Structure formats: structure tokens, C-alpha cells
Amino acid sequence: MRGAHRRRLLLVMYILLSLAGAWTQKAGGCPRWQCPVHSECVDERSCRCKAGFASSDPEGLITNPIGSCEDINECLQKSLTCGPFATCQNSEGSFHCICNWGYKLASGAKSFANKSENTCEDIDECSSRQHQCHNSTICSNTLGSYKCRCRPGWKPIPGSFSGPKNTMCQEPPLPTWTLLPTAQSQSLSRFSIEVRNLLKDFDPATANYTIQKVIEAMDKLLEAPVNIETLNPIDRHQVATQLLKYMEQTLRTLAPFLPKGPFTYTSPSNTELSLMTKEQDNKDITTVYHSQAWVTLNWAVAAGAKSSESGYSLAGILSSPNIQKLLADASMNLNQSRDILEERFESPVLNVSLTLLSNVNSIFLTNTDTRKLASNVTFNFSYSVGSKKRPREELMCAFLDTGDDGNVRWSTDGCSMNGTLCHCNHLSSFAILMAQYHVQDPRLELITKVGLWLSLVCLLLCILTFLLVKPIQSSRTTVHLHLCVCLFLGSVIFLVGIENEGGEVSLRCRLVAMMLHYFFLGAFCWMALEGVELYFLVVRVFQGQGLSTQWRCLFGYGVPFLIVVISAAAKMDGYGQQTYCWLNHKEGFLWSFVGPLAFIIFCNSAIFVVTVWKLTTKFSEINPNMKKLRKARVLIITAIAQLMVLGCTWVFGLFLFDPHSTWLSYIFTLLNCLQGLFLYLMLCLLNKKVREEYRKWACMVAGNKYSEFSSSTTGTGTSQSQTRALRPSESGM
């Protein structure tokens, strides 16, 4: 009975409460349906989304039971910004700003509301020990992050991760100093052991000390290279280049342990080292210098295409005054420049003598591939040069080049010199040299001078003989006299003035060339007259006496003068060369000499053939019973005399188109330099009348001491006169 009463009471209370709720909602003006989540009622027909939420209606109202309120992402609105180094983060119905990774708020708070509250600043992970760098690397803070870099001089371990935050490094492998198998000496062995011990005990904190000791060890080796100097030149030169290469490798390895910036050291033996270490990203034009040299380069060249692990690049100069002892007799590689030099000197370049004017300067970079640089490097080396410059001397910037055969030579390939500056597109060990080019064979030069002096003496004897020996004076001896005079004057001028000492074609050099042109042409013209004289004497012996003396002089001296005047008027620059005071080979000017020479030789050769043929006929008629040996001897002597006198030896000069033909040069020089001796032998000593006059002069000089010789000579002269009376047509030969 009591339980039923309670159930009725609860039912009544539920009905009353339902009626009260319905009345309350109706009294508040809310819709009969319930407003969705994140909204509130506005009136009896609609609800409105709360702040931070929005509905599909532009005004944010919900007018039906199926409507909803969605969260607004304020971070996507352009008008909202958190400021630098911060990121907006959305939340339900709101948002907040937080600093980016690697940054924090100065206040220490975790978030902030808007840009005006932004105080984000970089976190130094390195100093706060928040980094994860390996103990073989050094932490380097960056804006908002950090990097792990190898210690100075260390390198990443091959095969390991090489990212910015997980790099692992190892100590640098120091160069191994090994000796050449063929270059063994006690001093080299001691030096190698000393350097190996220095590098074995190397401590990065004392890199400066190690560098100084390595340089001093090299100086001690080079100051007293007793055992090295006994090596053959090839091994000695290879030791020098190997020493410089190992020094570059060692300094390139030790330099990163030095403080960044410039570093200079001068040893007690005046060996100088200058280093510059800078960030590899630097693109400036940088100059590295010390007292003996300086080098200017684009710093991008120092690093090259491959970036350095440490982020720094190196450029250095090592200048040694003692290394030249090992390079004293190093030769020059002329393969690339020979053609240019021979065109300049207009003569073959046989060899070159080198004088070292500066220290040998070894230039090295972090970039090891320096065979072809992206841009030229400019050097300036300290050197001294004499005030007087000799002919064919040239100041040059050269480098040590190891050829395919292993020989070390100086070379200028890829380098040019402008004043005192040297520009090269590669790096090596450089020096300033004075090159003396030799364009004449010393043996050929000696033969020329000795032969010309002997020829001058013989030509002078010929001239005196033709002037003083009365019995032989005739039209032929007149031709011989002027021929010898032209050759004598031409040879004197050749000996005195053929060398162009200054290297520049001066007025003196042009005058010497013109006089040589004139007198040698004159000699050829008188040779031509000799041929004409022989023609009249042998071929037309019964048809007149030939040309008169006036016509001979007009032809012998006038024709050469006319040729020289016309040549000078046409091209005065054709006289004189940089090397010799002679006719210039360019533009065919040499034909002003070669043309007349070839014409005269051709005519004289024709006359020579006709003369020999006529002489053969004449000898057979006069001496029908002459033995073959005597006949052959007379023909050979006559032929040689004609060949020498008529200048057919110059045929070798006409065929000497290749200046490198050594055997033709020797034949041409021997025959022409001794032409005076040949003339004296053929025209004087083989002439019986001349020999008789020489005997008379000898008797006059000797006096009574040679009275028996004088009487016998007189008797011989009498018998010879009788013989000549019997054979009036025989010549004095």
C-alpha cells in the first residue's frame, strides 16, 4: 500500500517538472528544438555559434535542428600573424603562437597570443649543450639550428653519415715522406727520418712549431747538399720537385690547425712561408704576400669545385733561396714556343741558357686540382737583373714541369709576363728566369771566324800579288784583283758588324746590311766577268780581247749599286734583322740577293761546262802524247780553280732552304769562308810566274845566305824560259 503511494508521487513530480521546463523555454524565447553544440539561442526561431566557431550561414545563425557550428582555423587568416621565427597553432575555438624549433621566448613562456607579444630568439644549442654532435666534431651554431663540423684538419670518415648533425670525423693522414729509389744519399735519409719524426709526434696545438721545424729541416738539407750534388742531373731535379711537392702537402695538412687569417714565417736561412686562411664562401680578390713575392687570386679558385669540410680555404707561398742549387742546370722546354722564337729571331734556336733571378716560389691552395684554373692567378716576384741586356735575352716567368719521360724542365706554357707581373692559368713552382737564346752553333761560329780570318789573310796576299807581280798582270788579273777586293771588304764588314748587338734594327745595322749586299753582289758580278773573260780566252781566243777595263768596272760596281739602290727604295725595312745585320727573309726581300746570285751562278756554270769541254779538246791537240794521269791532273786542277773562282760553292747556299739542315750549313760555311784560301792557292801558288817572283823576293830578303838557291833558281828560270820558248801557248798554271 505504501509502495504504490510512492510511485504515484514520483509520477506527479515528473509531470510537474516537464511542464515547468516547457514553460521556461517558451518564456526565454528559444526554439522548441535544442541548439547544437558550441552555440547559444538567440530567439525562439534561431541559435548563434559561439566565438571561434562558425556555421554555413554568413551571419553565423542556425535556424533548423540539423545545423552545426564548426571550429574556425584562425591560422589560415592572412590578417593574423605571429611575427618572425614563430608559428601559429590552432585550438578548438581559439589559437596561440609558439616559437619555431631552435627559438624560444625571452620570458620563458611556451606560447603567446599575437605578434606584439613575440620575443622569439635563437637558442644556442652549442653553448647550452643541446646538440647531438659526435665528439670528433665541433658544434657550430646557426640561426635556428646548428651544424657539426670536423675539427680543423680532420676529415669525415669514409662511408659514415655526413649530414649537418651526424658527421663523424677522423684525424688527417699526414704525408708520407719517401725517397726516390734512384736518389739515395745520407743527407736525404737523415732529412726524411727527421721529418717523419716531427709528423709522427704532431700535436694540433703546436702546429706552428711543427711547421717551423719542417722548414728548418729543409733549409739544413739544402745549405749543405753534399751527397745530393753527386747525383746525376735527372735525379737531382726530381729530388727538388719531390721536395717541393711534399712541402706543399705537409703545409696544406698542417695549416688548418693554425689560427684563421694571415700567417707568415721566415726561417734563419731566409726561407719564407706566407699563408692565408679564409671562409671558402668568400668571393673577394685576395692577395697573399711576403717580402719575396705576392700572389693575387679570386678566392673562389682557392677552394675549387669541391667544398672543404672545415668550411675554410687556404692559399700559400713558400719561397726558398736554396732550392736553386738542385736546379742549377735544369733545361727549358721549347716544344711549344720554338716556332714563335724562330719566327722572331729569323733563325733556328739551337738551345737556351738560363739564369735564375728570383727564389723558387711554390704556390699551393686547398684546391689540389690546379692544372687548369677557372681564372688566372697573378704573381709578382722580387728579382734583380743587370743593367745591360744582351742580344736575344728575354725575361720570363717559368715553372717546373715534369714531362712524360720523368725529366724536370722549366716551361712557360700557360703563363705570360706583362712588365713585372706574371699571369698563369695553373699553379706549380715558379721563378723569374733570364733566357739567353742561342741561334748559332758554337762550332759553326768558330769555323766561320777562323775561316774568315784565314780567308782575309789570303785575299790580302792575292791583292798584293796582283798589284806587285808585273809578269802576271793582264785583263784576267784585273778581274781577279777586283774580285778579291770585293770579297775582302765584304768579309771585313761581316766579321765586324754582322751581329746585331742591340736586338733592335738600328741605322747602323741597316747600313751594314746594305754594304754586305753591295760587296757580295759586287763579288758575284766580278765572278760573272771572270766567266766572260774565260769565254773570250778559251772559246773566242781568236776573235778579240774581250771587254775594256771601263766596261768591266761599270758592270762590276755599277750593277750591284743599282740593285742596292732599287732594293732600298722599294723596302728599306728589308735591311736588318733582330739577330743579324743582313737581308730580311720576310716578304721575299732576300730575292734581291738570291735572284742575281742564281742568275750569275747559272751563267757561270754554263760557261764552266763550255770552258772545260774546250780545254779538253785543246789539251788533246797540244799534247797528243801526254800521259792520261797528267791530262787528268791538269783537268781536275783547272776545274777546281774555275769552280772556286766562279763561286759555284754558293750553290749550297741556294739549296739551304731548311735552316735546320746541319750538314748543308757546315758545307756552305766551310767552302765560302775558305774561298780566299782557295783563290790564293789556285790563282797564285799554282801559277809558275808567281812562284818565280816569290823566289826572287825570298832571295832579296835572305841576301847572300841563299846565293846557291838564287843561282839554281836562275838556272831553273833559264831552262823554264827555254821550255816556254818551245811551248809558247802553255799557260802559267
Side-chain angles (χ1 to χ4, degrees):
M1 189 71 182
R2 186 178 293 177
H5 176 74
R6 287 179 179 176
R7 284 193 295 272
R8 291 191 204 98
L9 181 61
L10 289 174
L11 180 61
V12 171
M13 289 180 65
Y14 175 76
I15 293 171
L16 290 175
L17 287 173
S18 299
L19 292 174
W23 180 84
T24 301
Q25 186 174 6
K26 182 177 180 181
C30 290
R32 287 191 301 269
W33 40 270
Q34 189 175 1
C35 289
V37 182
H38 306 307
S39 67
E40 56 186 9
C41 63
V42 178
D43 51 32
E44 58 185 11
R45 292 188 300 272
S46 62
C47 301
R48 185 186 303 276
C49 293
K50 294 180 180 180
F53 298 90
S55 67
S56 58
D57 186 79
E59 296 181 1
L61 297 177
I62 300 174
T63 58
N64 54 71
I66 62 174
S68 64
C69 292
E70 302 294 338
D71 178 52
I72 300 173
N73 190 350
E74 294 86 353
C75 296
L76 298 179
Q77 298 176 3
K78 295 182 179 179
S79 59
L80 190 147
T81 177
C82 293
F85 313 123
T87 304
C88 174
Q89 283 195 348
N90 186 56
S91 60
E92 191 174 52
S94 181
F95 72 96
H96 63 276
C97 296
I98 61 172
C99 294
N100 294 339
W101 180 263
Y103 296 87
K104 66 179 180 177
L105 287 172
S107 62
K110 299 297 183 182
S111 63
F112 56 96
N114 52 53
K115 180 180 179 181
S116 61
E117 299 178 5
N118 186 344
T119 58
C120 295
E121 61 184 9
D122 176 56
I123 299 174
D124 190 347
E125 295 88 352
C126 298
S127 60
S128 62
R129 297 185 180 277
Q130 299 179 25
H131 64 84
Q132 298 179 356
C133 291
H134 191 264
N135 57 9
S136 64
T137 62
I138 297 176
C139 177
S140 176
N141 186 59
T142 60
L143 199 61
S145 185
Y146 66 93
K147 291 182 179 180
C148 302
R149 292 180 174 176
C150 291
R151 297 177 181 274
W154 290 43
K155 293 184 178 182
I157 298 176
S160 66
F161 295 103
S162 58
K165 298 180 181 179
N166 54 7
T167 303
M168 297 180 64
C169 305
Q170 62 182 359
E171 287 184 317
L174 295 173
T176 303
W177 289 66
T178 56
L179 299 176
L180 288 173
T182 58
Q184 299 294 330
S185 69
Q186 295 181 358
S187 56
L188 276 174
S189 300
R190 288 193 298 267
F191 169 74
S192 179
I193 294 172
E194 182 178 0
V195 173
R196 281 200 295 265
N197 291 334
L198 284 170
L199 298 181
K200 182 179 65 176
D201 302 331
F202 170 67
D203 182 3
T206 60
N208 190 338
Y209 171 81
T210 305
I211 289 175
Q212 294 180 17
K213 289 301 180 182
V214 170
I215 292 177
E216 290 174 7
M218 182 186 71
D219 288 339
K220 185 169 64 175
L221 170 70
L222 296 177
E223 285 177 351
V226 179
N227 303 116
I228 302 178
E229 289 179 344
T230 59
L231 299 175
N232 63 70
I234 295 178
D235 290 340
R236 188 157 27 87
H237 300 161
Q238 289 179 347
V239 167
T241 54
Q242 186 187 48
L243 183 62
L244 292 173
K245 182 186 73 172
Y246 283 149
M247 287 297 297
E248 289 181 17
Q249 293 177 355
T250 302
L251 294 172
R252 189 183 290 112
T253 304
L254 300 180
F257 297 98
L258 297 172
K260 303 302 179 285
F263 172 82
T264 302
Y265 170 68
T266 303
S267 71
S269 300
N270 292 324
T271 296
E272 291 192 55
L273 170 66
S274 183
L275 300 173
M276 175 63 73
T277 307
K278 294 171 60 176
E279 295 84 356
Q280 64 183 11
D281 295 334
N282 195 312
K283 305 299 182 182
D284 296 340
I285 301 299
T286 304
T287 300
V288 185
Y289 56 89
H290 54 57
S291 64
Q292 296 297 321
W294 59 258
V295 55
T296 300
L297 73 160
N298 187 329
W299 195 249
V301 174
K306 185 179 180 181
S307 300
S308 173
E309 294 83 0
S310 64
Y312 291 89
S313 297
L314 166 74
I317 310 174
L318 178 65
S319 176
S320 173
N322 298 316
I323 196 72
Q324 58 184 332
K325 295 179 180 179
L326 305 182
L327 301 168
D329 52 354
S331 60
M332 171 68 73
N333 185 359
L334 297 176
N335 293 337
Q336 300 294 330
S337 58
R338 185 180 297 274
D339 293 339
I340 299 175
L341 292 171
E342 291 183 353
E343 182 179 357
R344 183 200 309 174
F345 298 130
E346 300 178 1
S347 183
V349 177
L350 303 179
N351 53 57
V352 56
S353 299
L354 302 175
T355 303
L356 202 60
L357 301 182
S358 70
N359 292 346
V360 177
N361 297 273
S362 187
I363 317 295
F364 56 94
L365 306 173
T366 301
N367 178 18
T368 56
D369 186 11
T370 57
R371 292 170 296 178
K372 183 69 175 180
L373 300 177
S375 61
N376 283 358
V377 178
T378 302
F379 314 111
N380 192 344
F381 302 133
S382 299
Y383 63 92
S384 59
V385 62
S387 57
K388 186 177 180 181
K389 189 176 180 181
R390 296 179 296 175
R392 297 180 296 282
E393 272 191 343
E394 182 183 19
L395 197 66
M396 64 172 57
C397 174
F399 65 95
L400 291 173
D401 180 32
T402 302
D404 297 335
D405 55 356
N407 292 337
V408 179
R409 300 179 181 89
W410 292 103
S411 178
T412 59
D413 298 342
C415 293
S416 62
M417 197 165 184
N418 182 14
T420 60
L421 299 180
C422 181
H423 308 278
C424 293
N425 60 9
H426 57 84
L427 292 182
S428 179
S429 297
F430 298 86
I432 300 297
L433 305 178
M434 180 63 78
Q436 172 70 49
Y437 297 106
H438 300 287
V439 298
Q440 191 171 17
D441 188 346
R443 293 170 296 182
L444 198 61
E445 185 177 5
L446 178 63
I447 292 173
T448 300
K449 290 183 178 181
V450 173
L452 280 177
W453 276 110
L454 180 61
S455 183
L456 284 175
V457 173
C458 294
L459 288 172
L460 182 61
L461 291 176
C462 286
I463 294 171
L464 294 176
T465 300
F466 296 143
L467 290 175
L468 299 178
V469 178
K470 301 296 183 180
I472 65 170
Q473 290 181 353
S474 63
S475 60
R476 289 190 64 202
T477 54
T478 302
V479 173
H480 295 161
L481 173 64
H482 291 285
L483 169 63
C484 293
V485 168
C486 289
L487 288 176
F488 181 84
L489 294 176
S491 300
V492 170
I493 296 172
F494 185 91
L495 275 176
V496 175
I498 189 64
E499 291 280 349
N500 189 4
E501 298 293 339
E504 298 293 333
V505 182
S506 60
L507 179 61
R508 182 204 70 86
C509 187
R510 296 190 193 280
L511 290 177
V512 168
M514 293 174 68
M515 287 189 291
L516 288 175
H517 191 194
Y518 174 75
F519 283 114
F520 284 138
L521 278 179
F524 280 112
C525 288
W526 285 104
M527 289 179 185
L529 289 172
E530 172 72 9
V532 174
E533 193 69 24
L534 284 173
Y535 178 77
F536 280 105
L537 180 65
V538 178
V539 180
R540 302 184 62 185
V541 66
F542 301 111
Q543 302 181 19
Q545 299 298 322
L547 298 175
S548 63
T549 304
Q550 292 79 5
W551 282 106
R552 293 194 196 98
C553 292
L554 182 62
F555 179 81
Y557 295 111
V559 171
F561 180 78
L562 185 62
I563 294 175
V564 171
V565 169
I566 294 175
S567 300
K571 186 176 178 58
M572 189 63 181
D573 294 340
Y575 288 103
Q577 302 176 9
Q578 188 178 20
T579 306
Y580 300 113
C581 297
W582 180 234
L583 306 187
N584 201 318
H585 297 83
K586 297 179 180 178
E587 300 181 9
F589 189 78
L590 188 62
W591 282 100
S592 62
F593 177 75
V594 174
L597 181 148
F599 179 75
I600 292 173
I601 289 179
F602 174 77
C603 294
N604 280 356
S605 299
I607 294 175
F608 169 74
V609 172
V610 175
T611 302
V612 171
W613 177 66
K614 287 292 184 180
L615 282 175
T616 305
T617 305
K618 187 175 181 181
F619 285 145
S620 62
E621 293 176 354
I622 295 176
N623 302 304
N625 298 323
M626 183 184 294
K627 294 181 180 181
K628 291 183 179 181
L629 182 61
R630 175 178 173 81
K631 183 177 181 180
R633 181 177 63 85
V634 173
L635 285 175
I636 291 172
I637 292 175
T638 306
I640 293 176
Q642 299 299 318
L643 182 65
M644 299 305 169
V645 174
L646 299 180
C648 288
T649 53
W650 284 82
V651 170
F652 289 100
L654 292 179
F655 287 105
L656 197 60
F657 293 112
D658 182 12
H660 297 280
S661 180
T662 305
W663 66 276
L664 277 179
S665 299
Y666 274 87
I667 293 175
F668 177 74
T669 302
L670 281 171
L671 292 178
N672 284 277
C673 289
L674 298 178
Q675 198 168 34
L677 175 62
F678 295 150
L679 287 173
Y680 181 65
L681 178 64
M682 299 300 174
L683 301 180
C684 296
L685 292 182
L686 295 181
N687 192 306
K688 295 180 180 179
K689 295 181 180 180
V690 173
R691 292 200 301 270
E692 290 175 3
E693 289 296 320
Y694 286 168
R695 291 191 186 99
K696 291 180 182 179
W697 294 348
C699 292
M700 292 174 59
V701 173
N704 296 331
K705 292 182 180 180
Y706 296 94
S707 58
E708 295 180 1
F709 172 76
S710 178
S711 61
S712 63
T713 303
T714 304
T716 305
T718 304
S719 62
Q720 289 176 348
S721 300
Q722 294 173 354
T723 305
R724 281 195 296 272
L726 295 173
R727 295 182 295 175
S729 61
E730 187 176 356
S731 66
M733 184 73 69

